[in-house]
């Protein structure tokens, strides 16, 4: 008798669940959306990187806990509150090396990492992050291998998305993980 009620509840929840809003994409679908966008441009997919995803997750944690919006340091900055070297990344890109070195500081990834970050104060989705990056010449150039990124072959990509932030790291080296 108890099993019958469980089955009815399960079927009812599946039926009523069909009318609910779809669950927002996770970091894996952010990865998928970016590769789909690249394929639309006749570019190859970028292999998933465990190491670069760890860096992305770590940076989101740091941003959520320590970043101040409208600070002189932009979203590529890292606080002094972690197991990494702190840096203030300014819009003139003078401190670019502090960002590029983070994968090696935090993981076994041997190459430099190149980060794109999106922020939306009311919470971000994978779809919204990609829309923002497409509208930004610099970010779109990284994703689409345009301009100074045209000759680079991305061999690794790590993603993370949580709360108000979406973070993607690209690398020219294969991930050893």
């Amino acid at each position: 008798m108890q099993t019958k009620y469980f089955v009815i509840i399960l079927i009812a929840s599946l039926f009523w669940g069909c009318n609910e809003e779809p669950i927002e994409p996770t970091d894996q679908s952010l990865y998928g959306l970016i590769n789909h966008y690249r394929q639309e441009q006749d570019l190859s997919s970028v292999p998933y990187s465990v190491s670069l995803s760890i860096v992305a997750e770590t940076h989101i944690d740091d941003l959520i806990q320590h970043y101040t919006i409208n600070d002189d340091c932009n979203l590529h900055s890292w606080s002094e509150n972690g197991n990494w070297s702190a840096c203030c990344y300014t819009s003139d890109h003078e401190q670019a090396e502090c960002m590029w070195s983070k994968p090696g500081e935090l993981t076994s990834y041997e190459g430099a990492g190149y980060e794109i970050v999106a922020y939306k104060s009311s919470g971000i989705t994978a779809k919204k992050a990609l829309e923002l990056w497409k509208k930004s010449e610099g970010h779109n150039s990284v994703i689409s291998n345009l301009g100074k990124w045209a000759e680079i072959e991305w061999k690794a990509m790590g993603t993370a998305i949580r709360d108000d932030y979406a973070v993607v790291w690209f690398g020219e080296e294969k991930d050893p993980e």
Side-chain angles (χ1 to χ4, degrees), residues 52 55 59 76-79 84-87 97-107 109 111-113 169:
L52 294 180
V55 178
H59 198 198
H76 298 299
S77 300
W78 290 72
S79 77
W84 53 75
S85 58
C87 70
E97 186 65 37
C98 78
M99 183 235 308
W100 298 340
S101 65
K102 288 301 177 270
E105 287 183 43
L106 299 170
T107 70
Y109 190 79
W169 283 81

Side-chain angles (χ1 to χ4, degrees), residues 92-139:
D92 60 9
H93 307 288
E94 288 290 322
Q95 301 298 321
E97 186 65 37
C98 78
M99 183 235 308
W100 298 340
S101 65
K102 288 301 177 270
E105 287 183 43
L106 299 170
T107 70
S108 60
Y109 190 79
E110 295 181 6
Y114 305 94
E115 179 186 52
I116 59 174
V117 180
Y119 169 82
K120 190 168 186 303
S121 63
S122 59
I124 197 149
T125 65
K127 183 178 176 183
K128 183 62 179 174
L130 184 56
E131 287 173 13
L132 292 169
W133 290 324
K134 284 179 177 181
K135 293 176 185 175
S136 164
E137 183 179 347
H139 295 97

Side-chain angles (χ1 to χ4, degrees), residues 10-46:
L10 178 62
I11 292 171
S13 67
L14 290 172
F15 177 77
W16 284 307
C18 292
N19 294 325
E20 293 178 6
E21 290 292 316
I23 296 171
E24 271 310 317
T26 63
D27 60 344
Q28 286 297 321
S29 59
L30 177 59
Y31 169 78
L33 284 174
I34 290 171
N35 270 329
H36 179 73
Y37 176 57
R38 286 178 55 82
Q39 289 168 353
E40 289 176 341
Q41 300 172 76
D42 294 323
L43 297 168
S44 62
S45 292
V46 181

Side-chain angles (χ1 to χ4, degrees), residues 42-70:
D42 294 323
L43 297 168
S44 62
S45 292
V46 181
Y48 184 78
S49 167
V50 172
S51 296
L52 294 180
S53 292
I54 290 169
V55 178
E57 278 292 337
T58 303
H59 198 198
I60 283 182
D61 288 341
D62 188 45
L63 290 167
I64 290 169
Q65 294 173 22
H66 305 290
Y67 184 70
T68 303
I69 303 298
N70 294 324

